[in-house]
Every structure is written in C-alpha cells, then in structure tokens.
C-alpha cells in the first residue's frame, strides 16, 4: 500500500511540474487532481476544489460525457461560461483512462489557454511552412534545368533544325542520346529537353560519368544503406536515380562508363527499379534518361568496350549537336551574347573591330563554342581599350587560313613561306596605316627585307 502511495505521489509531482494546465476527474465526476498552473488560470486554489464535482468549477465541462462514452476528444475548442475566465476560449485534450472496459478517470490537458495563442502558433507554423516551401523551391530551381530553348543562340538552319528536334523529342518519354564533338553544347541541349518536357518542374540531375571513381559508381548511381561500407553515412544516402525521381537524369560522357556499370545501368533501364548498395529492397524509379557523348559508341561496340544492348537502349532517340563549323553565320550572335554577359559581370563594355570579327568568322574552331567563348573571354580581359582589334587575336587564329596542308602539298614549302610572309606584311601594313618603319619594327625585320617582300605584293592584294 505504501509503495502505491509513493508511486501516486511521484505521478502528482510530475503533473505538477508541467507548464500546461492539467486536470484529473474521477469516475464519480469529482476532481481528483488539478495542478497549480490550471488553478492560476481559473483563479482558484487547487486544494480548495479537489473532491468537488467538476460542474462546480467548470459548469459546462465535457468530462462527464467523456467518462460515459469513453471517446477521447483531442484539440477540442472550449469556451468557459463562468468565473474569472468567463468568455475565454481554449484548446483542450480530454482523454479517458480505461481499464478492463471500465472508465477510471478523465485526464484533461489545456494545449492553449487562449485562441490567440493557437492563432499565433498557427501563424508561426504557416511561416515555417512557407519558408520550407521557399527553400524547397530554391533547391529544386538550383537542381533543375539552368537553361531553356532560348539559351541556344543562333538563327542558322542548323540551329533552327536543332531546336525543332528538341521540341519534338522533349514531349516523348523515351531515352535520348545526344552526340556531337566536344564543346558543341550537349549539356545545354539536355537542359533544354528537360525544360521543354512535362518534367520541367522536377529535378534535373547531372552525372559526369568520366569524373566518378570506379569504386564509387554504384553508390553514386543507386545510393547505399547506412553503414554498408567503411566511411558510409549511418543514415544512408540516396543515389542519383532517386534524386532525379519524376525528373531527368543526364548521363554526360556516357562513353566513359565502365563495362560493369553498363550492365547495371541496362538493368535499371529495363526494370525501372534500383537496389541500394548494401540493401535488398528494390526501389521503383520514374526517371527520364538523357545521355551524351562525343565518342563513336557504335565503334566502341565493335571494339567490345561498350555493350551493344545498352547502346540500342540509349539510342532510341538521337540528337546530333552541330559543330560550330556547320553554323558559322551564328558566330556574331554568340560573340555578342558572351560580351554582353562579361559586361554585366564586370561593368565594362567592349566591342570587336570589323577585322577582328572577320578573322574569328574564318577560323575553323575545332573546339567549337567552348573554344569560341574561351577566346573571346580572354580577349575581353586582356584588351586595354574598349575595342578588341585583329592584332590582339591569337596568332594561331590569325594565320590559320594560310597555314594549311593543302598549300604545302601542292606548292611546296618555299611557296608557302612566301605566301605567309606576304600575308603578315599586308596585315601589319593595313593595321599601321602603311607605315613602313612601324611595320618593320612590329615584324622585327629590317627595312630592306620588308621592301623585298613588298615587291612581291600586287596593288590589288594591298587593296583587299
């Protein structure tokens, strides 16, 4: 008996320390316990009301009803009709304590001592939810496609055809393979496909297959369960397929994927499910695959370095990105875009001279748009004036037209050197307003040698 009294004393102490108002009503509808917090709220001394019928203290109390129905009432709205807090509304739990089908008591707990408190919490909760929604949207935006169809610059037939292909394949669900030389903008095309598709509001996840260490391929693609290998997070980690759920997974440089991962990727494409490293549960995935490569996958298939079945799985829809040589007429627009971006970034406006633009339009651009952007960015930063001139263009671009294998093959080296000398002299004379002394100094040759070269130049060539 003494143990039971001691236990009851402990329970009362616990209830007394609660910061929320607490009430305990017995099976006979009389108050068994009320903590000080509830007493202060009602404006009564708890010791004075213990043993009294609950209606004497709270005339419209619903605890007698809960005693009879044995049905708990959670977060119920209650309005007091008497006493110090007459007219005040609160939010309360009424929980029946039942044993062997018999109600022993009802436990009452006030969650909020005023509707204003509840509204304040609701407002705070709404603010938190709004913030979470904002940061979620920010995260999705950062992880989603950065570029759209408008990001592909150009009005040439090649670019118009490319955009038409993107719009056509974007609305389909099949896997897409983007092929093309390095630097043509394959990732930009992948972003545009995602942006034009029904999945545009979901994640766009990029994986560079050439940048993942071989021992991390599986965990990067499929994730892992907690503690599945040394150094693994205890909580596990989602892989790229799970992150891209409902969206697009862009597999860049797919030709660099090792054979053992090719077979695993093929299985995912066939079964549409993955298994995390160290786990046994299969997880269904809904992901649109867009792959890209600058390698000849068909040749790799013939050489045995790329699986034939995976190749055909990836190559359902194919987009070939045009090289810059196929749309040279778009170079002025591409240069204008880059210069405008540099101006916004640095606050300095710079332009290309007509001669400089002419040189850039005649170069073959083996590195494609990436090389073009790299060159114009360097010229922007290295130029001391607001105009980038032909003289500032790198030598390998300025003289690219003259230094060709064809000239050497048919006319010989002597003829080639003679043509190159003439070209350098003509170009320098034009830039220096036909000043012979300055031309000789710039080319670092003697005036007599310059005159000998000029004798071989016709007036028509100087006027071009």
């Amino acid at each position: 008996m003494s143990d039971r009294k001691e236990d009851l004393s402990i329970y009362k102490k616990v209830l007394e320390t609660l910061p929320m108002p607490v009430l305990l009503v017995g099976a006979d509808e009389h108050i068994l316990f009320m903590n000080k917090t509830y007493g202060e709220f009602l404006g009564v001394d708890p010791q004075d009301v213990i043993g009294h019928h609950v209606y004497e203290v709270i005339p419209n109390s619903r605890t007698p009803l809960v005693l009879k129905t044995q049905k708990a009432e959670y977060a119920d709205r209650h309005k007091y009709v008497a006493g110090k807090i007459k007219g005040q509304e609160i939010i309360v739990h009424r929980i029946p304590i039942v044993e062997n089908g018999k109600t022993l008591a009802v436990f009452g707990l006030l969650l909020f001592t005023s509707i204003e408190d509840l509204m304040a919490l609701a407002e705070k909760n709404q603010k938190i939810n709004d913030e979470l929604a904002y940061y979620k949207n920010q995260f999705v935006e950062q992880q989603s496609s950065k570029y759209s169809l408008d990001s592909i610059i150009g009005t040439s037939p090649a670019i118009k055809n490319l955009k038409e292909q993107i719009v056509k394949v974007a609305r389909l669900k099949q896997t897409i393979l983007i092929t093309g030389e390095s630097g043509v903008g394959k990732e930009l095309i992948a972003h545009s496909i995602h942006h034009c598709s029904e999945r545009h509001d979901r994640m766009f996840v990029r994986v560079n297959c050439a940048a993942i260490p071989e021992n991390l391929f599986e965990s990067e693609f499929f994730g892992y369960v907690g503690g599945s290998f040394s150094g693994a997070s205890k909580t596990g980690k989602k892989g790229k397929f799970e992150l891209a759920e409902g969206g697009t997974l862009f597999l860049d440089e797919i030709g660099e994927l090792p054979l053992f991962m090719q077979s695993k990727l093929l299985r995912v494409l066939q079964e549409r499910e993955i298994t995390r490293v160290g786990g046994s549960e299969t997880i269904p995935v809904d992901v649109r695959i867009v792959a890209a490569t600058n390698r000849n996958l068909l040749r790799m298939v013939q050489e045995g370095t790329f699986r034939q079945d995976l190749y055909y799985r990836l190559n359902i829809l194919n987009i070939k990105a045009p090289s810059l040589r196929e749309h040279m007429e778009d170079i002025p627009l591409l240069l204008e875009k880059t210069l405008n971006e540099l101006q916004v970034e640095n606050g300095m406006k710079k332009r290309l001279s007509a001669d400089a633009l002419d040189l850039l339009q005649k170069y073959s651009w083996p590195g494609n748009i990436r090389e073009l952007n790299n060159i114009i960015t360097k010229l922007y930063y290295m130029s001391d004036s607001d105009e980038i001139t032909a003289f500032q263009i790198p030598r390998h671009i300025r003289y690219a037209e003259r230094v060709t294998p064809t000239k050497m093959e048919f006319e010989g080296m002597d003829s080639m050197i003679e043509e190159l000398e003439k070209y350098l002299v003509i170009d320098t004379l034009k830039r220096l307003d036909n000043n012979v002394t300055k031309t000789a100094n710039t080319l670092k040759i003697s005036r007599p040698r310059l005159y000998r070269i000029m004798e071989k130049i016709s007036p028509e060539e100087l006027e071009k």
Side-chain angles (χ1 to χ4, degrees), residues 234-260:
K234 292 181 180 179
T235 57
K237 180 185 175 182
K238 286 185 177 182
K240 302 300 185 184
F241 273 91
E242 285 184 85
L243 289 174
E245 177 65 22
T248 301
L249 180 61
F250 175 46
L251 303 178
D252 198 9
E253 299 195 49
I254 188 70
E256 309 303 321
L257 202 64
L259 278 169
F260 86 95

Side-chain angles (χ1 to χ4, degrees), residues 143-193:
Q143 296 297 320
S144 192
S145 55
K146 299 177 184 177
Y147 312 105
S148 65
L149 207 60
D150 293 335
S151 304
I152 300 176
I153 304 301
T155 57
S156 64
I159 293 301
K160 287 180 180 178
N161 180 58
L162 173 64
K163 289 184 176 182
E164 288 172 2
Q165 289 184 66
I166 289 172
V167 172
K168 182 182 290 186
V169 302
R171 63 173 179 262
L172 305 175
K173 296 180 179 179
Q174 283 75 16
T175 299
I176 299 172
L177 179 64
I178 305 170
T179 57
E181 297 175 11
S182 179
V184 292
K186 294 186 287 295
E187 183 175 353
L188 180 61
I189 294 170
H191 278 274
S192 300
I193 291 170

Side-chain angles (χ1 to χ4, degrees), residues 6 16 20 27 67 83 89 99 104 129 132 261 275 278 289 307 311 358 424:
E6 187 177 336
E16 192 63 70
M20 292 91 72
L67 281 165
E89 286 186 290
E99 186 177 68
L104 303 179
N129 286 336
L132 286 173
M261 274 303 297
T275 302
I289 300 292
R307 290 181 64 107
Y311 171 72
D358 184 59
L424 292 174

Side-chain angles (χ1 to χ4, degrees), residues 29-260:
E29 301 180 2
H30 287 67
I31 296 172
L32 297 175
F33 174 81
M34 178 187 288
N35 69 357
K36 289 181 181 179
T37 308
Y38 205 157
E40 290 171 358
F41 174 67
L42 294 177
V44 299
D45 186 339
Q47 297 304 316
D48 292 340
V49 299
I50 290 176
H52 288 242
H53 195 282
V54 68
Y55 283 155
E56 295 180 36
V57 183
I58 310 171
N60 62 336
S61 174
R62 289 178 59 85
T63 50
L65 179 63
V66 174
L67 281 165
K68 292 175 183 177
T69 63
Q70 296 185 350
K71 291 183 179 180
E73 296 178 346
Y74 294 106
D76 187 50
R77 190 167 178 167
H78 181 83
K79 185 174 183 178
Y80 291 95
V81 295
K84 165 189 167 183
I85 38 78
K86 181 180 178 180
Q88 189 162 334
E89 286 186 290
I90 54 94
I91 303 296
V92 62
H93 286 335
R94 303 184 190 94
I95 305 168
I97 301 171
V98 181
E99 186 177 68
N100 297 324
K102 183 179 179 181
T103 308
L104 303 179
V106 171
F107 176 72
L109 174 67
L110 272 62
L111 298 177
F112 301 97
T113 55
S114 71
I115 295 300
E116 288 73 19
D117 289 344
L118 173 62
M119 297 305 292
L121 181 66
E123 186 177 341
K124 184 177 181 180
N125 186 59
Q126 184 60 49
K127 185 178 179 181
I128 292 172
N129 286 336
D130 291 344
E131 288 179 355
L132 286 173
Y134 170 78
Y135 288 119
K136 182 179 179 181
N137 288 336
Q138 287 291 100
F139 177 75
V140 171
E141 285 180 13
Q142 289 176 9
Q143 296 297 320
S144 192
S145 55
K146 299 177 184 177
Y147 312 105
S148 65
L149 207 60
D150 293 335
S151 304
I152 300 176
I153 304 301
T155 57
S156 64
I159 293 301
K160 287 180 180 178
N161 180 58
L162 173 64
K163 289 184 176 182
E164 288 172 2
Q165 289 184 66
I166 289 172
V167 172
K168 182 182 290 186
V169 302
R171 63 173 179 262
L172 305 175
K173 296 180 179 179
Q174 283 75 16
T175 299
I176 299 172
L177 179 64
I178 305 170
T179 57
E181 297 175 11
S182 179
V184 292
K186 294 186 287 295
E187 183 175 353
L188 180 61
I189 294 170
H191 278 274
S192 300
I193 291 170
H194 176 77
H195 191 269
C196 291
S197 74
E198 294 179 353
R199 298 171 180 261
H200 67 274
D201 58 344
R202 304 303 291 272
M203 298 286 280
F204 177 92
V205 179
R206 177 183 180 271
V207 182
N208 186 343
C209 298
I212 304 174
E214 193 164 313
N215 62 323
L216 295 180
F217 264 107
E218 283 193 79
S219 60
E220 282 293 313
F221 274 86
F222 310 132
Y224 59 82
V225 297
S228 55
F229 54 86
S230 178
S233 169
K234 292 181 180 179
T235 57
K237 180 185 175 182
K238 286 185 177 182
K240 302 300 185 184
F241 273 91
E242 285 184 85
L243 289 174
E245 177 65 22
T248 301
L249 180 61
F250 175 46
L251 303 178
D252 198 9
E253 299 195 49
I254 188 70
E256 309 303 321
L257 202 64
L259 278 169
F260 86 95

Side-chain angles (χ1 to χ4, degrees), residues 342-409:
L342 289 167
Q343 179 186 343
V344 170
E345 183 179 337
N346 298 279
M348 294 181 291
K349 184 176 182 179
K350 295 189 179 184
R351 64 182 185 277
L352 279 162
S353 69
D355 288 345
L357 178 59
D358 184 59
L359 283 172
L360 295 175
Q361 285 184 288
K362 290 178 180 178
Y363 182 56
S364 61
W365 299 108
N368 294 292
I369 297 174
R370 183 185 294 130
E371 183 186 7
L372 177 69
N373 288 337
N374 180 267
I375 291 295
I376 195 63
T377 300
K378 286 182 179 179
L379 291 171
Y380 175 91
Y381 285 116
M382 295 303 292
S383 174
D384 293 326
S385 67
D386 60 358
E387 183 178 69
I388 300 168
T389 65
F391 183 68
Q392 293 169 307
I393 303 295
R395 292 176 62 88
H396 72 280
I397 295 177
R398 277 191 283 160
Y399 307 136
E401 281 189 299
R402 300 296 179 177
V403 185
T404 62
T406 305
K407 287 282 184 182
M408 185 181 295
E409 181 181 347

Side-chain angles (χ1 to χ4, degrees), residues 156 323-332 360-365:
S156 64
S323 66
L324 186 51
R325 295 183 301 281
E326 296 174 68
H327 59 111
M328 299 285 278
E329 60 267 47
D330 292 323
I331 285 179
L360 295 175
Q361 285 184 288
K362 290 178 180 178
Y363 182 56
S364 61
W365 299 108

